[in-house]
Coordinates of all heavy atoms in Angstrom, one line a residue:
V1 N 0.9 -1.2 0.0 CA 0.0 0.0 0.0 C 0.9 1.2 0.0 O 1.5 1.5 1.0 CB -0.9 0.0 1.2 CG1 -1.8 1.2 1.2 CG2 -1.7 -1.2 1.4
S2 N 1.0 1.9 -1.1 CA 1.7 3.2 -1.2 C 1.3 3.9 -2.4 O 0.8 3.4 -3.4 CB 3.2 2.9 -1.3 OG 3.6 2.2 -2.5
S3 N 1.6 5.2 -2.4 CA 1.3 6.1 -3.6 C -0.1 5.9 -4.1 O -0.4 5.8 -5.3 CB 2.3 5.8 -4.7 OG 3.6 6.1 -4.3
F4 N -1.0 5.7 -3.1 CA -2.5 5.6 -3.5 C -2.7 4.4 -4.4 O -3.6 4.4 -5.3 CB -3.0 6.9 -4.1 CG -2.7 8.0 -3.2 CD1 -1.7 8.9 -3.6 CD2 -3.3 8.2 -2.0 CE1 -1.4 10.0 -2.8 CE2 -3.0 9.3 -1.2 CZ -2.0 10.2 -1.6
Q5 N -2.0 3.3 -4.2 CA -2.3 2.1 -5.0 C -1.9 0.9 -4.2 O -1.1 0.9 -3.3 CB -1.6 2.1 -6.3 CG -0.1 2.1 -6.2 CD 0.5 2.3 -7.6 OE1 -0.1 2.2 -8.6 NE2 1.9 2.4 -7.6
F6 N -2.6 -0.2 -4.5 CA -2.2 -1.5 -4.0 C -1.3 -2.2 -5.0 O -1.7 -2.3 -6.2 CB -3.5 -2.4 -3.7 CG -4.4 -1.9 -2.7 CD1 -5.5 -1.2 -3.0 CD2 -4.1 -2.1 -1.3 CE1 -6.4 -0.7 -2.0 CE2 -4.9 -1.6 -0.3 CZ -6.0 -0.9 -0.7
T7 N -0.2 -2.7 -4.6 CA 0.8 -3.3 -5.5 C 1.1 -4.7 -5.0 O 1.6 -4.9 -3.9 CB 2.1 -2.5 -5.5 OG1 1.7 -1.1 -5.8 CG2 3.0 -3.0 -6.6
P8 N 0.9 -5.8 -5.7 CA 0.2 -5.7 -7.0 C -1.3 -5.6 -6.8 O -1.8 -6.0 -5.8 CB 0.5 -7.1 -7.6 CG 0.6 -8.0 -6.4 CD 1.2 -7.1 -5.3
S9 N -2.0 -5.0 -7.8 CA -3.4 -4.8 -7.6 C -4.2 -6.0 -7.8 O -5.3 -6.2 -7.3 CB -3.9 -3.7 -8.5 OG -3.7 -4.0 -9.8
R10 N -3.6 -7.0 -8.6 CA -4.3 -8.2 -8.8 C -3.3 -9.3 -8.3 O -2.2 -9.4 -8.8 CB -4.6 -8.4 -10.3 CG -5.4 -9.7 -10.6 CD -5.7 -9.8 -12.1 NE -6.7 -10.8 -12.3 CZ -6.5 -12.1 -12.5 NH1 -5.3 -12.5 -12.4 NH2 -7.5 -13.0 -12.7
L11 N -3.8 -10.2 -7.5 CA -3.0 -11.2 -6.9 C -3.7 -12.5 -7.0 O -4.9 -12.6 -6.6 CB -2.7 -10.8 -5.4 CG -1.8 -11.8 -4.6 CD1 -0.4 -11.8 -5.2 CD2 -1.8 -11.4 -3.2
E12 N -3.0 -13.5 -7.5 CA -3.6 -14.9 -7.5 C -2.9 -15.7 -6.5 O -1.7 -15.8 -6.4 CB -3.4 -15.5 -8.9 CG -4.3 -14.8 -10.0 CD -4.4 -15.7 -11.3 OE1 -4.2 -16.9 -11.2 OE2 -4.6 -15.1 -12.3
I13 N -3.7 -16.4 -5.7 CA -3.2 -17.3 -4.6 C -4.0 -18.6 -4.7 O -4.9 -18.8 -5.4 CB -3.4 -16.6 -3.2 CG1 -4.9 -16.4 -2.9 CG2 -2.7 -15.3 -3.2 CD1 -5.1 -15.9 -1.5
E14 N -3.6 -19.5 -3.8 CA -4.4 -20.7 -3.6 C -5.1 -20.7 -2.3 O -4.6 -20.1 -1.4 CB -3.4 -22.0 -3.7 CG -2.8 -22.2 -5.1 CD -2.2 -23.6 -5.2 OE1 -2.2 -24.3 -4.2 OE2 -1.7 -23.9 -6.3
A15 N -6.2 -21.4 -2.3 CA -7.0 -21.5 -1.0 C -6.1 -21.9 0.1 O -5.3 -22.8 0.0 CB -8.1 -22.4 -1.2
G16 N -6.2 -21.2 1.2 CA -5.3 -21.5 2.4 C -4.1 -20.6 2.5 O -3.5 -20.5 3.5
D17 N -3.8 -19.8 1.4 CA -2.7 -18.9 1.4 C -3.0 -17.7 2.3 O -4.2 -17.3 2.4 CB -2.3 -18.4 0.0 CG -1.6 -19.5 -0.8 OD1 -1.2 -20.5 -0.2 OD2 -1.4 -19.3 -2.0
R18 N -2.0 -17.1 2.8 CA -2.1 -15.8 3.5 C -1.7 -14.7 2.6 O -0.8 -14.8 1.7 CB -1.1 -15.8 4.7 CG -1.5 -16.6 5.9 CD -0.5 -16.4 7.0 NE 0.9 -16.6 6.5 CZ 1.9 -16.1 7.1 NH1 1.8 -15.6 8.3 NH2 3.1 -16.3 6.6
V19 N -2.4 -13.6 2.8 CA -2.1 -12.3 2.1 C -1.7 -11.3 3.2 O -2.4 -11.2 4.2 CB -3.3 -11.8 1.2 CG1 -3.0 -10.4 0.7 CG2 -3.6 -12.8 0.1
I20 N -0.6 -10.6 2.9 CA -0.2 -9.6 3.8 C -0.2 -8.2 3.1 O 0.4 -8.1 2.1 CB 1.2 -9.8 4.4 CG1 1.3 -11.2 5.0 CG2 1.7 -8.7 5.3 CD1 2.7 -11.7 5.4
W21 N -1.0 -7.3 3.7 CA -1.0 -5.9 3.2 C -0.1 -5.1 4.2 O -0.2 -5.2 5.4 CB -2.4 -5.3 3.2 CG -3.3 -5.7 2.2 CD1 -3.5 -5.2 0.9 CD2 -4.3 -6.8 2.3 NE1 -4.5 -5.9 0.3 CE2 -5.0 -6.9 1.1 CE3 -4.6 -7.7 3.3 CZ2 -6.0 -7.8 0.8 CZ3 -5.6 -8.6 3.1 CH2 -6.3 -8.7 1.9
R22 N 0.8 -4.3 3.6 CA 1.7 -3.5 4.4 C 1.5 -2.1 4.0 O 1.7 -1.7 2.8 CB 3.1 -4.0 4.3 CG 4.1 -3.3 5.1 CD 5.5 -4.0 4.9 NE 5.9 -4.0 3.6 CZ 6.5 -2.9 3.0 NH1 6.8 -1.9 3.7 NH2 6.9 -3.0 1.7
N23 N 1.2 -1.2 4.9 CA 1.1 0.2 4.6 C 2.4 0.9 4.6 O 3.1 1.0 5.7 CB 0.1 1.0 5.5 CG -0.1 2.4 5.1 OD1 0.0 2.7 3.9 ND2 -0.5 3.2 6.0
A24 N 2.9 1.3 3.4 CA 4.3 1.9 3.3 C 4.2 3.4 3.5 O 5.2 4.0 3.9 CB 4.9 1.6 2.0
E25 N 3.1 4.0 3.2 CA 2.9 5.4 3.4 C 1.5 5.8 3.2 O 0.7 5.1 2.5 CB 3.8 6.2 2.4 CG 3.4 5.9 0.9 CD 4.3 6.6 -0.1 OE1 5.0 7.6 0.3 OE2 4.2 6.3 -1.3
G26 N 1.1 6.9 3.8 CA -0.2 7.5 3.6 C -1.3 6.9 4.5 O -1.1 6.1 5.4
F27 N -2.5 7.4 4.3 CA -3.6 7.2 5.1 C -4.6 6.3 4.4 O -5.3 6.7 3.5 CB -4.3 8.6 5.4 CG -5.4 8.6 6.4 CD1 -5.3 8.4 7.7 CD2 -6.7 8.9 5.9 CE1 -6.3 8.4 8.6 CE2 -7.8 8.9 6.8 CZ -7.6 8.7 8.1
H28 N -4.6 5.1 4.8 CA -5.3 4.0 4.0 C -5.9 3.0 4.9 O -5.6 2.9 6.1 CB -4.4 3.3 3.1 CG -3.6 4.2 2.2 ND1 -4.1 5.0 1.2 CD2 -2.2 4.5 2.2 CE1 -3.1 5.7 0.6 NE2 -2.0 5.4 1.2
N29 N -6.8 2.2 4.3 CA -7.2 0.9 4.9 C -7.5 0.0 3.8 O -7.3 0.3 2.6 CB -8.4 1.1 5.9 CG -9.7 1.4 5.1 OD1 -9.8 1.6 3.9 ND2 -10.8 1.3 5.9
V30 N -8.0 -1.2 4.1 CA -8.4 -2.2 3.1 C -9.7 -2.8 3.5 O -9.9 -3.2 4.7 CB -7.3 -3.2 2.9 CG1 -6.9 -3.9 4.2 CG2 -7.7 -4.3 1.9
Q31 N -10.7 -2.7 2.6 CA -12.0 -3.2 2.9 C -12.5 -4.0 1.8 O -12.4 -3.6 0.6 CB -12.9 -1.9 3.1 CG -14.4 -2.3 3.4 CD -15.2 -1.0 3.7 OE1 -14.6 0.0 4.2 NE2 -16.5 -1.1 3.5
A32 N -13.1 -5.1 2.1 CA -13.7 -6.0 1.0 C -14.9 -5.4 0.5 O -15.7 -4.8 1.2 CB -14.0 -7.4 1.6
D33 N -15.1 -5.5 -0.9 CA -16.4 -5.1 -1.5 C -17.6 -5.6 -0.8 O -18.6 -5.0 -0.7 CB -16.4 -5.4 -3.0 CG -15.5 -4.5 -3.8 OD1 -14.6 -3.9 -3.3 OD2 -15.8 -4.5 -5.0
D34 N -17.5 -6.9 -0.4 CA -18.6 -7.6 0.2 C -18.7 -7.3 1.7 O -19.6 -7.9 2.4 CB -18.7 -9.0 -0.1 CG -17.5 -9.8 0.6 OD1 -16.7 -9.2 1.3 OD2 -17.4 -11.0 0.3
G35 N -17.8 -6.5 2.3 CA -17.9 -6.2 3.7 C -17.4 -7.3 4.6 O -17.5 -7.2 5.8
S36 N -16.7 -8.3 4.0 CA -16.3 -9.5 4.8 C -15.1 -9.1 5.7 O -14.8 -9.8 6.7 CB -16.0 -10.7 4.0 OG -15.0 -10.4 3.0
F37 N -14.4 -8.1 5.3 CA -13.3 -7.6 6.2 C -13.1 -6.1 6.0 O -13.4 -5.6 4.9 CB -12.0 -8.4 6.1 CG -11.4 -8.3 4.7 CD1 -10.5 -7.3 4.4 CD2 -11.7 -9.3 3.8 CE1 -10.0 -7.2 3.1 CE2 -11.1 -9.3 2.5 CZ -10.2 -8.2 2.2
R38 N -12.7 -5.4 7.0 CA -12.3 -4.0 7.0 C -11.2 -3.8 8.0 O -11.4 -4.0 9.2 CB -13.5 -3.1 7.3 CG -13.3 -1.6 7.3 CD -14.5 -0.9 7.7 NE -14.4 0.6 7.7 CZ -14.0 1.3 8.7 NH1 -13.8 0.7 9.9 NH2 -13.9 2.6 8.7
C39 N -10.0 -3.5 7.4 CA -8.8 -3.6 8.3 C -7.8 -2.4 8.0 O -7.8 -1.9 6.9 CB -8.0 -4.9 7.9 SG -9.0 -6.4 8.0
A40 N -7.1 -2.1 9.0 CA -5.9 -1.3 9.0 C -5.1 -1.6 10.2 O -4.2 -2.5 10.1 CB -6.3 0.2 9.0
E41 N -5.3 -1.0 11.3 CA -4.7 -1.4 12.5 C -5.5 -2.6 13.2 O -6.3 -2.4 14.1 CB -4.5 -0.3 13.5 CG -3.6 0.8 12.9 CD -3.3 1.9 13.8 OE1 -2.6 1.6 14.8 OE2 -3.6 3.1 13.6
G42 N -5.4 -3.7 12.6 CA -6.3 -4.8 12.9 C -7.5 -4.7 12.1 O -7.7 -3.8 11.3
C43 N -8.5 -5.6 12.4 CA -9.7 -5.6 11.6 C -10.9 -5.4 12.5 O -10.9 -5.9 13.6 CB -9.8 -7.0 10.9 SG -8.5 -7.3 9.7
D44 N -11.9 -4.7 12.0 CA -13.2 -4.6 12.7 C -13.7 -6.0 13.0 O -13.6 -6.9 12.3 CB -14.2 -3.8 11.8 CG -13.8 -2.4 11.6 OD1 -12.9 -1.9 12.3 OD2 -14.5 -1.7 10.8
R45 N -14.4 -6.0 14.1 CA -15.1 -7.2 14.6 C -14.1 -8.3 15.0 O -14.5 -9.4 15.3 CB -16.1 -7.8 13.6 CG -17.2 -6.8 13.2 CD -18.2 -7.4 12.3 NE -17.6 -8.0 11.1 CZ -17.5 -7.4 9.9 NH1 -17.8 -6.1 9.8 NH2 -16.9 -8.0 8.9
E46 N -12.8 -8.0 14.9 CA -11.8 -9.0 15.3 C -10.8 -8.4 16.3 O -9.6 -8.8 16.3 CB -11.0 -9.5 14.0 CG -12.0 -10.2 13.0 CD -11.4 -10.6 11.7 OE1 -10.1 -10.6 11.6 OE2 -12.1 -10.9 10.8
G47 N -11.3 -7.4 17.0 CA -10.5 -6.9 18.0 C -9.6 -5.7 17.6 O -8.8 -5.2 18.4
G48 N -9.6 -5.4 16.3 CA -8.8 -4.3 15.7 C -9.7 -3.2 15.3 O -10.8 -3.1 15.6
D49 N -9.0 -2.2 14.6 CA -9.7 -1.0 14.2 C -9.4 -0.8 12.7 O -8.3 -0.6 12.3 CB -9.1 0.2 15.0 CG -9.8 1.5 14.6 OD1 -10.6 1.5 13.6 OD2 -9.5 2.5 15.3
G50 N -10.4 -1.0 11.9 CA -10.3 -0.9 10.4 C -10.4 0.5 9.9 O -10.3 0.7 8.7
D51 N -10.5 1.5 10.8 CA -10.5 2.9 10.3 C -9.2 3.2 9.5 O -8.2 2.7 9.9 CB -10.7 3.9 11.4 CG -12.1 3.9 12.0 OD1 -13.0 3.4 11.4 OD2 -12.2 4.4 13.1
P52 N -9.3 4.0 8.5 CA -8.1 4.3 7.8 C -7.1 4.9 8.7 O -7.4 5.6 9.7 CB -8.6 5.4 6.8 CG -10.0 5.1 6.6 CD -10.5 4.6 7.9
S53 N -5.8 4.6 8.5 CA -4.8 5.0 9.4 C -3.5 5.3 8.6 O -3.2 4.6 7.7 CB -4.5 3.9 10.4 OG -3.3 4.1 11.1
A54 N -2.7 6.2 9.1 CA -1.4 6.6 8.5 C -0.3 5.8 9.2 O 0.9 5.9 8.8 CB -1.2 8.1 8.7
A55 N -0.6 5.0 10.2 CA 0.4 4.1 10.8 C 0.9 3.2 9.7 O 0.3 2.9 8.8 CB -0.2 3.4 12.0
L56 N 2.1 2.7 10.0 CA 2.7 1.7 9.0 C 2.2 0.3 9.4 O 2.9 -0.6 9.8 CB 4.2 1.8 9.1 CG 4.8 3.2 8.7 CD1 6.3 3.1 8.7 CD2 4.2 3.7 7.4
W57 N 0.9 0.1 9.3 CA 0.2 -1.1 9.7 C 0.5 -2.2 8.7 O 0.8 -2.1 7.6 CB -1.3 -0.9 9.9 CG -2.0 -0.2 8.7 CD1 -2.3 1.2 8.7 CD2 -2.5 -0.7 7.5 NE1 -2.9 1.4 7.5 CE2 -3.1 0.3 6.8 CE3 -2.5 -2.0 7.0 CZ2 -3.6 0.1 5.5 CZ3 -3.0 -2.3 5.7 CH2 -3.6 -1.2 5.0
T58 N 0.3 -3.4 9.3 CA 0.4 -4.6 8.5 C -0.9 -5.5 8.8 O -1.2 -5.6 10.0 CB 1.6 -5.5 8.8 OG1 2.8 -4.7 8.5 CG2 1.7 -6.7 8.0
V59 N -1.5 -6.0 7.8 CA -2.7 -6.8 7.9 C -2.5 -8.1 7.3 O -2.0 -8.2 6.1 CB -3.9 -6.1 7.3 CG1 -5.1 -7.1 7.2 CG2 -4.3 -4.9 8.2
T60 N -2.7 -9.2 8.0 CA -2.6 -10.5 7.4 C -3.9 -11.2 7.4 O -4.6 -11.3 8.4 CB -1.6 -11.4 8.2 OG1 -0.3 -10.7 8.2 CG2 -1.4 -12.7 7.6
R61 N -4.3 -11.8 6.3 CA -5.6 -12.5 6.2 C -5.3 -13.8 5.4 O -4.6 -13.8 4.5 CB -6.7 -11.7 5.6 CG -7.1 -10.5 6.4 CD -8.4 -10.0 6.0 NE -9.5 -10.8 6.4 CZ -10.1 -10.9 7.6 NH1 -9.6 -10.1 8.6 NH2 -11.1 -11.7 7.9
T62 N -6.0 -14.9 5.9 CA -6.0 -16.1 5.2 C -7.3 -16.3 4.4 O -8.3 -16.1 4.9 CB -5.8 -17.3 6.2 OG1 -4.6 -17.0 6.9 CG2 -5.7 -18.6 5.5
F63 N -7.1 -16.8 3.2 CA -8.3 -17.0 2.3 C -8.5 -18.5 2.1 O -7.7 -19.1 1.4 CB -8.2 -16.2 1.0 CG -8.2 -14.7 1.2 CD1 -7.0 -14.0 1.5 CD2 -9.4 -14.0 1.2 CE1 -7.0 -12.7 1.8 CE2 -9.4 -12.6 1.5 CZ -8.2 -12.0 1.7
G64 N -9.5 -19.0 2.7 CA -9.7 -20.4 2.8 C -10.5 -21.1 1.6 O -10.4 -22.3 1.4
S65 N -11.2 -20.3 0.9 CA -12.0 -20.9 -0.1 C -11.9 -20.1 -1.5 O -11.6 -18.9 -1.5 CB -13.5 -20.9 0.3 OG -13.9 -19.6 0.7
A66 N -12.0 -20.9 -2.5 CA -11.8 -20.3 -3.9 C -12.8 -19.2 -4.1 O -14.0 -19.3 -3.7 CB -11.9 -21.4 -4.9
G67 N -12.4 -18.3 -4.9 CA -13.3 -17.2 -5.3 C -12.5 -15.9 -5.6 O -11.3 -15.9 -5.6
T68 N -13.3 -14.9 -5.9 CA -12.7 -13.6 -6.3 C -13.1 -12.6 -5.2 O -14.2 -12.5 -4.8 CB -13.2 -13.1 -7.6 OG1 -12.8 -14.1 -8.6 CG2 -12.6 -11.8 -8.0
V69 N -12.1 -11.9 -4.7 CA -12.3 -11.1 -3.5 C -11.8 -9.6 -3.9 O -10.6 -9.3 -3.8 CB -11.5 -11.5 -2.3 CG1 -11.8 -10.6 -1.1 CG2 -11.8 -13.0 -2.0
P70 N -12.7 -8.8 -4.4 CA -12.4 -7.4 -4.6 C -12.3 -6.6 -3.4 O -13.1 -6.9 -2.4 CB -13.5 -6.9 -5.6 CG -14.6 -7.8 -5.4 CD -14.1 -9.1 -4.8
Y71 N -11.4 -5.6 -3.3 CA -11.3 -4.8 -2.1 C -10.8 -3.4 -2.5 O -10.4 -3.2 -3.7 CB -10.3 -5.5 -1.1 CG -8.9 -5.5 -1.7 CD1 -8.0 -4.5 -1.5 CD2 -8.5 -6.6 -2.4 CE1 -6.7 -4.5 -2.0 CE2 -7.2 -6.7 -2.9 CZ -6.3 -5.7 -2.7 OH -5.0 -5.7 -3.2
F72 N -10.9 -2.5 -1.6 CA -10.5 -1.1 -1.9 C -10.1 -0.4 -0.6 O -10.3 -0.9 0.5 CB -11.7 -0.4 -2.5 CG -13.0 -0.4 -1.7 CD1 -13.2 0.7 -0.8 CD2 -13.8 -1.4 -1.7 CE1 -14.4 0.8 0.0 CE2 -15.0 -1.4 -0.9 CZ -15.2 -0.3 -0.1
C73 N -9.5 0.7 -0.8 CA -9.3 1.7 0.3 C -10.4 2.6 0.4 O -10.8 3.2 -0.6 CB -8.0 2.4 0.1 SG -7.8 3.9 1.2
E74 N -11.0 2.8 1.5 CA -12.3 3.6 1.6 C -12.0 5.1 1.5 O -12.9 5.8 1.2 CB -13.1 3.2 2.8 CG -12.6 3.7 4.1 CD -13.5 3.3 5.2 OE1 -13.7 2.1 5.5 OE2 -14.1 4.2 5.9
V75 N -10.8 5.5 1.6 CA -10.4 6.9 1.5 C -10.2 7.2 0.0 O -10.7 8.3 -0.5 CB -9.1 7.2 2.3 CG1 -8.8 8.7 2.1 CG2 -9.3 6.9 3.7
H76 N -9.6 6.4 -0.7 CA -9.1 6.7 -2.1 C -9.8 5.8 -3.2 O -9.4 5.9 -4.3 CB -7.6 6.6 -2.2 CG -6.9 7.4 -1.1 ND1 -6.3 6.8 0.0 CD2 -6.8 8.7 -1.0 CE1 -5.8 7.8 0.7 NE2 -6.1 9.0 0.1
G77 N -10.6 4.9 -2.8 CA -11.2 4.0 -3.7 C -12.7 3.7 -3.4 O -13.2 4.3 -2.5
G78 N -13.2 2.7 -4.1 CA -14.5 2.3 -3.8 C -14.8 0.9 -4.4 O -13.9 0.3 -5.1
P79 N -15.9 0.3 -4.1 CA -16.2 -1.0 -4.6 C -16.2 -1.1 -6.2 O -16.4 0.0 -6.8 CB -17.6 -1.3 -4.1 CG -17.9 -0.3 -3.1 CD -17.0 0.9 -3.4
G80 N -16.0 -2.2 -6.7 CA -16.1 -2.4 -8.1 C -14.8 -2.0 -8.8 O -14.8 -1.6 -10.0
G81 N -13.7 -2.0 -8.1 CA -12.4 -1.6 -8.7 C -12.2 -0.1 -8.9 O -11.4 0.3 -9.7
T82 N -12.9 0.7 -8.2 CA -12.8 2.1 -8.4 C -11.6 2.7 -7.6 O -11.4 2.4 -6.5 CB -14.1 2.8 -7.8 OG1 -15.2 2.3 -8.5 CG2 -14.0 4.3 -8.1
G83 N -10.8 3.5 -8.3 CA -9.7 4.2 -7.7 C -8.7 3.2 -7.0 O -8.3 2.3 -7.7
M84 N -8.5 3.5 -5.8 CA -7.5 2.6 -5.1 C -8.1 1.3 -4.6 O -8.8 1.3 -3.6 CB -7.0 3.4 -3.8 CG -5.9 2.7 -3.1 SD -5.2 3.7 -1.8 CE -4.1 2.6 -1.0
A85 N -7.9 0.3 -5.5 CA -8.6 -0.9 -5.3 C -7.8 -2.1 -5.8 O -6.8 -1.9 -6.5 CB -10.0 -0.9 -6.0
G86 N -8.1 -3.3 -5.4 CA -7.4 -4.5 -5.9 C -8.3 -5.7 -5.9 O -9.5 -5.6 -5.5
V87 N -7.8 -6.8 -6.3 CA -8.6 -8.0 -6.3 C -7.6 -9.2 -6.0 O -6.5 -9.2 -6.4 CB -9.3 -8.2 -7.6 CG1 -8.3 -8.4 -8.8 CG2 -10.3 -9.4 -7.5
I88 N -8.2 -10.1 -5.2 CA -7.4 -11.4 -4.9 C -8.2 -12.5 -5.6 O -9.4 -12.6 -5.3 CB -7.3 -11.6 -3.4 CG1 -6.5 -10.5 -2.8 CG2 -6.7 -12.9 -3.1 CD1 -6.7 -10.4 -1.3
V89 N -7.6 -13.2 -6.4 CA -8.2 -14.4 -7.0 C -7.7 -15.6 -6.3 O -6.5 -15.9 -6.3 CB -7.9 -14.5 -8.5 CG1 -8.5 -15.7 -9.2 CG2 -8.4 -13.2 -9.2
V90 N -8.6 -16.3 -5.6 CA -8.3 -17.5 -4.8 C -8.6 -18.7 -5.6 O -9.8 -19.0 -5.9 CB -9.0 -17.5 -3.5 CG1 -8.5 -18.6 -2.6 CG2 -8.9 -16.2 -2.8
R91 N -7.6 -19.5 -6.0 CA -7.8 -20.7 -6.7 C -8.0 -21.8 -5.7 O -7.5 -21.8 -4.6 CB -6.7 -21.0 -7.6 CG -6.4 -20.0 -8.7 CD -5.3 -20.5 -9.6 NE -4.0 -20.6 -8.9 CZ -3.0 -19.8 -9.0 NH1 -3.0 -18.8 -9.8 NH2 -1.9 -20.0 -8.3
A92 N -8.8 -22.9 -6.2 CA -9.0 -24.0 -5.3 C -7.6 -24.7 -5.0 O -6.8 -24.7 -5.9 CB -9.9 -25.0 -6.0
G93 N -7.4 -25.1 -3.8 CA -6.2 -25.7 -3.4 C -6.0 -27.1 -4.0 O -7.0 -27.6 -4.5
R94 N -4.8 -27.6 -3.9 CA -4.6 -28.9 -4.4 C -5.0 -30.0 -3.4 O -5.0 -29.7 -2.2 CB -3.1 -29.1 -4.7 CG -2.7 -28.5 -6.0 CD -1.3 -28.8 -6.3 NE -0.3 -28.1 -5.5 CZ 0.1 -26.9 -5.9 NH1 -0.2 -26.3 -7.0 NH2 1.0 -26.2 -5.1
Ligands
LIG101 CU1 -6.0 4.9 0.5

């Protein structure tokens, strides 16, 4: 997370893999289009605070099932790949 973009913006993983978002600069968070997670300094509903933050936060999430997970920064982006957004493609595991 830097310069108002997620890098890489499209990431393919296998079910069970972990994804780590690391805020390198700026005031950001990461929120799933479907609301399944909202994170920055930890995640909402999981003991953390998903409000956008300029801290150099790191968020780790495990994606257990195949599917496509679009997400965005609620300060600089929006659902549907608008602005500062990305997508994780989770393939079925072996
Ligand atoms: Cu942002």
Side-chain angles (χ1 to χ4, degrees):
V1 182
S2 66
S3 299
F4 310 106
Q5 61 185 356
F6 293 102
T7 308
S9 60
R10 184 178 194 278
L11 181 64
E12 290 194 26
I13 64 172
E14 290 196 0
D17 283 351
R18 286 184 310 163
V19 172
I20 302 171
W21 287 271
R22 184 175 56 84
N23 187 23
E25 59 179 349
F27 184 71
H28 309 292
N29 73 348
V30 54
Q31 178 172 338
D33 282 20
D34 67 2
S36 58
F37 61 86
R38 178 178 180 271
C39 307
E41 297 188 62
C43 300
D44 289 352
R45 301 187 305 270
E46 298 173 15
D49 183 351
D51 286 346
S53 169
L56 302 183
W57 48 261
T58 298
V59 165
T60 303
R61 296 196 69 80
T62 301
F63 293 87
S65 50
T68 300
V69 183
Y71 64 88
F72 59 95
C73 165
E74 70 179 66
V75 182
H76 306 107
T82 303
M84 184 175 174
V87 64
I88 299 165
V89 178
V90 187
R91 298 185 298 254
R94 282 186 284 271

